[in-house]
């Protein structure tokens, strides 16, 4: 409305709170005034971006006619609808991350998924079972979810469970928008359509996504042609809990961005390269051939004669061709976008020159763009085209004859008006006379009141001010008509030429996308090489085995945050035949959790195609990575810390396979000691069981009683974090050694944390008393289990109690059999007796 965008009624109330702007009202004297708020038109994008980040949709309503020419109320209409998942402008986007719209199509047995990025033209199609859905949906950041409405009653709780805890706005879409897709969208090529015809649920989701984008953008989203099938079997799968525990992209609450792996791995020099590198980490590979192909691409950048430094220097500042191409395809490109395209195309020959024709010959060919397009854009566009197309300044002199003649006419008229001020000052003898312009009166001559007696007779008064009068002359009005008419025609002609130029660029979108894809890939792989060279990482060996042997493993983030050389590297050795489960004991602050995380990151980086922070690594391919590290609750979902811990552990036990890697930290600590020990014991046996999943496992625990399992479980080995006692304190060596730890040193850690001396001394007294009472002797003896490799039949006694006949609990102890109760019930019974009868 004029120079402002305004919001009214409920929109104004909500927006004022979100944006922190003043809420006022219209018709203030009415009994029921209309709430109102707004901001200047040139600040629109900043405010809209904040509304989008808050999860809202924004409809832009513009003036559709010149207010000066309007009769009555100015005609206005919605010209654009912006939603978190459908925006294409860089103003609303994070350069180094995709902005996905996630459309879901749920059925009772399976879920169809389409991830569509309107800013790049990418579409990812996938189908999965409900058991896989939470991990699939959580692995990629989504800005907005499209959920069908209504859905079948049997499906609704599954869908809500899959979406639980995920970020992104939610939009409900009528089911009819999905069911229109009886076949692949017509905008896809036949080859693409045939390749995805076996994904009917994903195709239904894609129909909803495309329909939503078409309606949001006010026309066909023609950029959405880059379609890819996502298969879970092709990637190393990890769930949201693992990403959270490892701090891949987001720090733990209270942490900093520098604590994430992404902060150190992302050394890309372009936004598109950053997005591609992020996708490597979000979807690590699960095929040795695919991993080795990516490793070869990284190795080429690390060769002594590689052009890595020169190429990365030449690539810096290159416009984002991937997103430019998408905006051109859907008709959203601005004059400045075409200027950026021109600049990018003109830099391609230089980039090809840095790559040469050796190891990068294929990539050099991929960076070939139509030379005619670059030449035409260079001839047509000014050096710095404006953002908008309405106000001119787009087309270079000499490109179009009609445009040049209009420009000359407008320019000469403006010059005549500019010279008028000098001529009229001389003619009238008024030194303070000046020429001005406003939208209401056009051009005018302004004379202060003190010189009114000198006003020439041919001046016509137009406006009276407090201290001056404004006049026009017949010649001035005639010239004004010529100038403004020529300017309007010039702007219209430039807009017409720009629109034609943008349509010509759209013809080359497929080629531009090919070039953009190659640039993103080159930036991502060279970034992996740069990280390897910068941090001293080595190339891992991937094999089709159950081994995980690595020497000198470091945590890629912690190592960077400590002074150089202070991080203590450790080895890791796992294999399914002899050392399947490693039970890791040791004190708090000793480094157990860091060790678990660095092993997980070692595998994740290796299967992303990256070099790894280790002196040597041989890794048998991992299909799933599970971590249960750290403690957190989900109050919003009504889950305590212990419930979260048990839920994540249950997911691991359900989903792990012999190819998986499981890293557990302190299972059972969120409940009573005996309950926790019982659960940790049972989980360890389950993971080791011959008929169970038997994944490679490292289990860090403070339950020292578990270390006795090495006597009964042949593939379980004990390891501990070494500590050196020094006087009345301890020194944490952060070194992993063989064998169990003998103490937890919890009181020493408490002393380091600053607990009062009286508390520390009292704790020592209580600990000594508890140790003398041998508080868990019965439990340790009760839980001894005969060694056997075969699966335990239901009737195998878990407890072998040799109590004397006069023992007061002799009769009760004889009832502790598998026929009478479960092992957990038996352990709970023992705990109750210990509490009632003492040691």
């Amino acid at each position: 409305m004029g120079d402002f965008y305004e919001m009214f009624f409920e929109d104004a109330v909500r927006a004022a709170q979100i944006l922190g702007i003043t809420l006022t009202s219209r018709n203030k004297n009415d009994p029921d005034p209309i709430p109102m708020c707004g901001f200047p038109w040139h600040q629109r994008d900043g405010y809209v971006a904040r509304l989008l980040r808050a999860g809202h949709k924004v409809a832009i309503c513009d003036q559709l006619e010149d207010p000066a020419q309007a009769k009555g109320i100015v005609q206005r209409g919605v010209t654009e609808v912006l939603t978190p998942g459908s925006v294409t402008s860089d103003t609303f986007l994070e350069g180094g991350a995709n902005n996905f719209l996630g459309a879901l199509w749920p059925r009772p047995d399976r879920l169809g998924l389409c991830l569509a990025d309107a800013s790049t033209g990418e579409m990812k199609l996938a189908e999965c079972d409900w058991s896989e859905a939470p991990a699939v949906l959580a692995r990629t950041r989504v800005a907005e979810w499209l959920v069908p409405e209504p859905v079948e009653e049997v499906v609704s709780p599954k869908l809500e469970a899959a979406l639980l805890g995920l970020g992104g706005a939610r939009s409900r879409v009528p089911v009819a928008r999905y069911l229109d897709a009886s076949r692949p969208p017509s905008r896809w090529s036949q080859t693409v359509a045939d390749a995805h015809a076996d994904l009917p649920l994903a195709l239904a989701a894609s129909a909803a996504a495309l329909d939503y984008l078409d309606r949001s953008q006010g026309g066909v989203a023609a950029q959405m042609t880059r379609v890819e099938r996502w298969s879970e079997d092709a990637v190393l799968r990890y769930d949201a809990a693992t990403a959270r525990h490892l701090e891949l992209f987001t720090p733990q609450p209270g942490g900093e961005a520098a604590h994430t792996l992404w902060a150190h791995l992302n050394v890309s020099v372009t936004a598109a390269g950053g997005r591609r590198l992020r996708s490597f980490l979000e979807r690590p590979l699960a095929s040795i051939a695919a991993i080795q192909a990516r490793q070869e691409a990284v190795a080429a950048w690390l060769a002594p004669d590689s052009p890595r430094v020169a190429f990365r220097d030449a690539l810096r500042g290159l416009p984002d061709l991937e997103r430019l191409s998408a905006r051109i395809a859907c008709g959203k490109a601005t004059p400045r976008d075409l200027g950026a395209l021109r600049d990018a195309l003109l830099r391609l020959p230089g980039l090809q020159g840095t790559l040469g024709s050796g190891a990068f010959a294929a990539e050099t060919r991929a960076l070939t763009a139509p030379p005619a397009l670059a030449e035409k854009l260079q001839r047509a566009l000014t050096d710095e085209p404006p953002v908008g197309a309405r106000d001119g300044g787009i087309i270079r002199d000499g490109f179009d004859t009609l445009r040049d003649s209009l420009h000359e006419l407008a320019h000469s008229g403006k010059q005549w008006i500019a010279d008028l001020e000098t001529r009229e000052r001389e003619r009238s003898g008024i030194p303070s006379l000046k020429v001005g312009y406003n939208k209401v009166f056009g051009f005018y001559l302004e004379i202060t009141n003190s010189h009114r007696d000198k006003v020439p007779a041919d001046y016509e008064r137009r406006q009276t001010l407090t201290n001056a009068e404004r006049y026009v002359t017949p010649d001035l009005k005639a010239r004004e008509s010529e100038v403004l008419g020529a300017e309007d025609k010039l702007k219209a002609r430039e807009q017409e030429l720009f629109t034609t130029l943008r349509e010509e660029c759209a013809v080359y979108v497929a080629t531009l996308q090919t070039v953009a894809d190659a640039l993103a890939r080159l930036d991502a792989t060279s970034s992996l090489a740069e990280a390897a060279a910068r941090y001293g990482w080595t190339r891992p060996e991937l094999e089709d085995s159950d081994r995980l042997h690595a020497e000198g493993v470091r945590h890629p983030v912690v190592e960077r945050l400590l002074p150089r050389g202070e991080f203590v590297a450790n080895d890791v050795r796992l294999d399914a035949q002899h050392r399947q489960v490693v039970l890791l004991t040791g004190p708090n602050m000793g480094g157990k959790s860091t060790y678990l995380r660095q092993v997980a990151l070692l595998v994740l980086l290796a299967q992303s195609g990256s070099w790894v922070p280790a002196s040597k690594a041989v890794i048998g391919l991992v299909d799933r990575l599970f971590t249960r590290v750290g403690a957190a609750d989900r109050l919003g979902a009504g889950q305590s810390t212990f419930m979260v811990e048990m839920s994540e552990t249950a997911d691991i036990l359900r989903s792990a396979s012999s190819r998986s890697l499981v890293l557990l930290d302190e299972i059972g600590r969120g409940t009573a000691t005996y309950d926790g020990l019982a659960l940790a014991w049972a989980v360890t046996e389950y993971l080791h069981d011959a008929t169970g999943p038997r994944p490679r496992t490292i289990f860090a625990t403070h339950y020292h009683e578990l270390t006795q399992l090495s006597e009964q479980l042949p593939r379980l080995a004990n390891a501990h974090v070494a500590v050196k006692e020094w006087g009345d304190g301890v020194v944490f060596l952060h070194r992993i050694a063989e064998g169990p730890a003998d103490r937890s040193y919890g009181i020493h850690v408490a002393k380091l944390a600053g607990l009062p001396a009286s508390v520390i001394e009292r704790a020592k007294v209580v600990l000594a008393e508890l140790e003398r009472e041998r508080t868990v002797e019965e439990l340790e003896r009760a839980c001894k289990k005969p060694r056997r490799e075969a699966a335990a039949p239901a009737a195998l006694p878990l407890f072998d109690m040799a109590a004397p006949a006069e023992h007061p609990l002799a009769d009760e102890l004889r009832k502790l059999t598998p026929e009478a109760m479960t092992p957990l019930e038996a352990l709970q019974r023992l705990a109750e007796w210990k509490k009632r009868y003492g040691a």
Side-chain angles (χ1 to χ4, degrees), residues 701-738:
T701 182
H702 283 289
Y703 292 129
H704 289 218
E705 297 79 14
L706 294 178
T707 60
Q708 298 186 41
L709 282 169
S710 62
E711 301 173 10
Q712 301 146 43
L713 305 180
R715 297 184 309 283
L716 184 145
N718 282 310
H720 70 279
V721 182
V723 172
K724 177 72 173 178
E725 294 194 38
W726 190 265
D728 196 30
V730 294
V731 177
F732 301 109
L733 303 179
H734 304 299
R735 190 180 70 248
I736 305 300
E738 291 297 304

Side-chain angles (χ1 to χ4, degrees), residues 268-279:
S268 59
V269 294
T270 68
R275 293 194 296 273
R276 186 63 56 87
L277 183 61
R278 186 182 178 109
S279 74

Side-chain angles (χ1 to χ4, degrees), residues 612-693:
V612 296
S615 57
K616 180 181 180 182
V618 179
I619 300 171
L621 211 60
V622 174
D623 64 351
R624 294 169 184 253
L625 175 62
F626 298 99
T627 66
R628 188 24 262 172
V629 183
D633 54 25
R634 296 181 192 146
L635 297 179
Q639 295 182 342
S640 66
T641 301
F642 182 66
M643 186 60 184
V644 171
E645 179 183 301
M646 289 298 99
S647 296
E648 292 176 357
T649 303
D651 289 340
I652 293 171
L653 300 185
R654 275 195 302 268
S655 306
S657 75
S658 60
R659 289 283 194 183
S660 301
L661 176 64
V662 175
L663 304 167
L664 301 173
D665 187 19
E666 309 289 5
I667 293 298
R669 63 180 165 183
T671 187
T673 301
Y674 285 152
D675 281 7
L677 174 57
L679 288 164
W681 194 293
V683 166
T684 305
E685 289 184 340
Y686 182 87
L687 292 170
H688 181 277
D689 199 299
T691 60

Side-chain angles (χ1 to χ4, degrees), residues 300-361:
W301 290 113
L302 289 167
D305 58 346
S306 89
R308 185 179 85 246
V309 175
F311 178 78
R312 285 167 59 82
D313 285 343
L315 195 59
R316 291 183 197 279
L318 189 78
D320 194 337
L321 262 181
E322 191 171 45
R323 283 182 167 163
L324 285 174
S325 302
R327 289 198 289 274
I328 290 168
C330 67
K332 296 285 186 182
T334 66
R336 187 165 293 176
D337 284 337
L338 293 197
L341 174 62
R342 171 200 61 197
D343 297 343
L345 295 179
L346 291 175
R347 288 176 61 178
L348 288 181
L351 288 167
Q352 290 177 307
T354 61
L355 290 175
S357 57
F360 296 94

Side-chain angles (χ1 to χ4, degrees), residues 531-545:
R534 189 179 295 182
Y535 305 145
W537 294 357
T538 58
R539 180 173 179 168
E541 180 183 343
L542 276 296
E543 62 181 22
D544 186 16
S545 76

Side-chain angles (χ1 to χ4, degrees), residues 586-592 666 702 721 723 728-732 734 743-756 759-760 763-764 767:
N588 296 103
M589 288 183 61
K592 299 191 299 299
E666 309 289 5
H702 283 289
V721 182
V723 172
D728 196 30
V730 294
V731 177
F732 301 109
H734 304 299
R743 299 174 61 187
S744 284
Y745 297 96
I747 294 178
H748 292 80
V749 174
K751 183 178 179 181
L752 289 174
L755 263 66
V759 173
I760 297 298
K764 289 179 180 178
L767 177 63

